[in-house]
Amino acid sequence: MWLNKTSMTDRLYYHDPFLYEFEAEVRDQNNTPRPALILDRTAFYPTSGGQVHDTGWILAADQKFRVTEVADAEDGRIVHYLEAPLKDLKPGARIRGQIDPARRRDHMQQHSGQHVLSAAFVRLFNMPTVSFHMGDDYCSIDLDTPNLSRDQIESAERLANEIILENRPVDIRFVTRDEAGKLGLRKIPPTECDELRLIDIHDFDLTACGGTHVRQTGQIGCILLRKAEKVRQGWRVEFVAGQRAVATARRDYTVLTEGAALFSAHIYDIPQQIRKALDEIRSLRKQWEQSLEDLADAQAAALLAETPESNGRRIVVRTFSDREMGFLKLLAQKLTRLSPNVVALLATKSPQPSLVFAQSPGQPFDMSALLKKVMATLGGRGGGSKDMAQGGAPTTDGVESALESVSATLCA
Ligand SMILES: [Zn+2]
């Protein structure tokens, strides 16, 4: 429970996003449900406007607390969530805040990159950005457009990187809502607040935003567009900026290199190599299926030839050590079509212990019922129709003797 519901937190990052260390006074603290702290002023950025929060440390006397999350409270105060419970940090105590500079720099690169990219899509194709998301690996913007081509993506990427290379100043300005209305902003947020904070990328983009941004576009480093996909209200474009772009390119290259090594090929030949391999697989699969047909034909004929007729029926019983269930079914089909008086009781021990029972059309038994009965003793499951049934057993134990006992029942 918060005790002191007083004034809003002074947001130091509004004026200087490069302020990584600051001093402040504790306004309020509590330990339930999570250890949390409110200060009179802070440089910590709370999750808002698509940008995720900072992390860092709070130093007080001889204590050091890790700040794991920062959030906006509804009353305009900023809550710092801490890893460990607070002791002896009463309102009025002086603390020192330290922001994780690498994380902040990364967020500034991504967020500033987003402004440049969103403006590039407006300038080139009049495609407004309707939302921005910052994730751990990549960021994305949603564009309000029914179509987006690969050429358009590449053009926007090129323009965004030109603006970055030109190292344009990025200024922070505060104006009233009325003034903002006359400035032709790219985006005005729907807030009640009368004062707006503007981010001004010199002669390129002017928009209202509360986030942290670089001072010069050159500090963004670069921007790399990646996946683009159709979403409900337009197109989502994923991107990475600055060090993230380099890290992403590095990861891509590592994966490509690994893939190329598998083919002993150059990375740029991977698609061609994959196409070739897929063609080969397709052709081999066709040959394999044809071979199985031929094998099943030959085996069915041989099995029938070696199975004597008894009571006007041929009961073929065979357990294979290494056949797919698909082959058993194929063989059962061939057997029961070759002759009108066949019952086939087939099994395989591996890769998966399986059974297939089948009879020629017109034979009087119920294969499904027979199989279910056998499965009940083997502890497996299966089913099918009157003329053909299949099932899987948990082990090979008892499979062969089960076939023999079914055969004996049928002969009786
Ligand atoms: Zn922004």
Side-chain angles (χ1 to χ4, degrees):
M1 264 268 300
W2 299 115
L3 297 173
N4 306 315
K5 291 225 164 193
T6 50
S7 59
M8 293 162 55
T9 309
D10 184 11
R11 294 162 193 251
L12 302 173
Y13 61 82
Y14 267 177
H15 307 277
D16 184 3
F18 284 80
L19 181 71
Y20 299 148
E21 286 205 36
F22 64 99
E23 286 185 1
E25 192 180 294
V26 174
R27 274 285 154 82
D28 207 349
Q29 61 108 336
N30 81 50
N31 277 317
T32 47
R34 293 162 68 190
L37 198 61
I38 287 176
L39 306 170
D40 63 337
R41 59 212 290 267
T42 188
F44 280 93
Y45 184 81
T47 297
S48 51
Q51 183 178 335
V52 282
H53 63 84
D54 285 315
T55 58
W57 298 268
I58 299 277
L59 292 85
D62 56 346
Q63 303 185 83
K64 190 172 182 180
F65 302 97
R66 174 101 183 120
V67 177
T68 54
E69 194 189 335
V70 188
D72 258 324
E74 278 175 16
D75 55 10
R77 302 193 299 174
I78 292 177
V79 187
H80 307 75
Y81 291 102
L82 309 176
E83 201 169 49
L86 290 152
K87 275 178 287 179
D88 307 323
L89 208 56
K90 300 278 180 286
R94 301 293 300 174
I95 63 97
R96 200 167 170 72
Q98 283 177 349
I99 287 166
D100 179 339
R103 182 174 163 99
R104 165 64 70 82
R105 266 196 297 271
D106 170 57
H107 292 175
M108 288 197 290
Q109 285 183 324
Q110 310 313 314
H111 193 148
S112 310
Q114 180 259 313
H115 283 233
V116 175
L117 184 61
S118 290
F121 273 114
V122 169
R123 292 230 165 187
L124 291 173
F125 311 113
N126 199 23
M127 292 177 187
T129 294
V130 289
S131 71
F132 164 50
H133 167 79
M134 187 190 284
D136 287 337
D137 292 328
Y138 61 84
C139 305
S140 65
I141 52 172
D142 284 358
L143 296 170
D144 182 7
T145 173
N147 303 299
L148 182 65
S149 71
R150 197 165 145 172
D151 277 354
Q152 288 174 318
I153 289 169
E154 286 177 16
S155 301
E157 183 183 66
R158 197 174 313 115
L159 175 58
N161 280 298
E162 275 163 18
I163 299 299
I164 289 168
L165 281 175
E166 284 165 14
N167 203 22
R168 298 190 186 208
V170 181
D171 293 320
I172 304 167
R173 286 202 267 151
F174 291 86
V175 296
T176 64
R177 189 164 270 281
D178 284 348
E179 286 170 323
K182 296 168 200 152
L183 289 171
L185 300 193
R186 176 163 57 78
K187 198 173 175 187
I188 296 187
T191 84
E192 301 287 301
C193 188
D194 189 49
E195 192 183 49
L196 288 180
R197 179 174 182 261
L198 303 187
I199 302 303
D200 184 354
I201 299 175
H202 188 69
D203 279 349
F204 187 67
D205 186 46
L206 184 63
T207 193
C209 183
T212 56
H213 309 84
V214 297
R215 285 192 192 113
Q216 307 267 144
T217 57
Q219 291 171 318
I220 298 168
C222 60
I223 189 158
L224 176 67
L225 269 54
R226 288 168 61 80
K227 197 166 101 183
E229 62 176 338
K230 184 96 187 68
V231 289
R232 211 185 317 155
Q233 56 171 336
W235 278 79
R236 177 162 302 161
V237 178
E238 291 178 9
F239 70 93
V240 275
Q243 286 287 13
R244 268 197 209 202
V246 176
T248 305
R250 164 63 45 204
R251 205 163 58 223
D252 291 354
Y253 184 74
T254 306
V255 170
L256 285 170
T257 304
E258 211 178 302
L262 292 173
F263 291 106
S264 306
H266 190 275
I267 58 166
Y268 297 134
D269 295 332
I270 288 180
Q272 188 201 339
Q273 292 286 344
I274 291 178
R275 252 177 249 123
K276 213 172 104 189
L278 286 176
D279 283 347
E280 265 173 41
I281 289 169
R282 261 179 233 119
S283 144
L284 286 172
R285 187 175 292 151
K286 235 177 177 170
Q287 289 176 38
W288 161 250
E289 279 163 6
Q290 187 54 54
S291 303
L292 278 185
E293 283 277 337
D294 295 348
L295 180 63
D297 277 331
Q299 209 147 33
L303 281 168
L304 273 192
E306 71 188 36
T307 308
E309 227 179 68
S310 130
N311 295 337
R313 256 180 221 112
R314 290 174 207 259
I315 301 183
V316 178
V317 180
R318 177 56 75 96
T319 300
F320 295 92
S321 58
D322 187 10
R323 283 277 185 269
E324 298 279 344
M325 159 91 91
F327 181 77
L328 293 192
K329 285 162 71 179
L330 186 63
L331 182 59
Q333 267 172 19
K334 305 270 182 201
L335 282 165
T336 52
R337 277 178 202 161
L338 266 179
S339 173
N341 62 347
V342 174
V343 177
L345 306 173
L346 309 175
T348 180
K349 289 181 176 174
S350 84
Q352 199 62 49
S354 315
L355 284 74
V356 171
F357 292 178
Q359 66 183 2
S360 306
Q363 290 295 312
F365 308 110
D366 182 343
M367 295 296 118
S368 179
L370 272 177
L371 185 103
K372 279 183 179 153
K373 213 166 139 191
V374 170
M375 281 303 164
T377 64
L378 294 176
R381 297 166 64 124
S385 65
K386 181 177 169 292
D387 286 344
M388 165 105 69
Q390 63 187 72
T395 70
T396 57
D397 294 345
V399 167
E400 258 166 304
S401 56
L403 295 194
E404 291 302 337
S405 76
V406 173
S407 163
T409 350
L410 299 183
C411 289

